[in-house]
Amino acid sequence: MAPELQHKLLRVLQNSPNISQRELSEVLGISLGRANFCLQALIEKGFIKAKNFKNNKNKLSYVYLLTPQGLQEKAELTRKFFEIKKREYEELKKEVEALNLPEEPPEQNKEIPVIG
């Protein structure tokens, strides 16, 4: 799983632990099957725990809780993500500065042809 997707997934689960897999797939813009696969991968890594509970509709639902290891992983991914974005910002800033170089002054006494 890509680190960016893993970071988004951990962030969403931390903020919305009762989210359904269908809602999660919609929020992340991925298929329901991929959302399920990613959740299973995070459970296997020990980053989240899934607990069953009965919701209002007498159906079993899950609550996804970040483990201490999951919180640590999310913090590390957030730090890495921030560093990448900071580097990208600095590169873009240099490009913009290079584009904003002063223009050469227009040539004086330039003849303009008049047709007519």
Side-chain angles (χ1 to χ4, degrees):
M1 170 182 351
E4 189 171 331
L5 176 59
Q6 185 171 318
H7 178 259
K8 287 179 183 177
L9 188 55
L10 290 170
R11 189 180 69 229
V12 170
L13 293 176
Q14 185 176 23
N15 294 332
S16 305
N18 294 335
I19 194 167
S20 71
Q21 289 186 18
R22 186 170 307 283
E23 292 167 329
L24 185 63
S25 69
E26 290 170 4
V27 168
L28 297 176
I30 60 176
S31 70
L32 181 58
R34 186 163 183 205
N36 181 277
F37 175 81
C38 292
L39 287 169
Q40 293 304 317
L42 292 178
I43 290 169
E44 287 176 19
K45 289 180 180 181
F47 294 161
I48 62 171
K49 288 184 181 180
K51 295 188 178 186
N52 308 16
F53 70 94
K54 279 197 173 194
N55 67 13
N56 306 6
K57 302 168 190 164
N58 294 323
K59 288 182 168 181
L60 278 182
S61 294
Y62 291 94
V63 61
Y64 300 99
L65 304 172
L66 271 67
T67 64
Q69 185 181 359
L71 290 170
Q72 185 177 4
E73 177 70 8
K74 180 181 170 279
E76 182 62 21
L77 287 170
T78 300
R79 186 191 65 73
K80 288 178 181 176
F81 184 72
F82 176 76
E83 288 299 321
I84 290 168
K85 293 301 176 187
K86 186 177 172 184
R87 275 194 305 273
E88 289 174 358
Y89 169 78
E90 292 300 328
E91 289 171 10
L92 285 172
K93 186 177 172 185
K94 287 177 186 176
E95 286 181 34
V96 169
E97 287 171 356
L99 293 173
N100 287 332
L101 293 176
E103 294 181 20
E104 293 182 26
E107 292 180 27
Q108 299 294 326
N109 299 327
K110 191 171 187 179
E111 293 183 22
I112 300 174
V114 178
I115 301 174

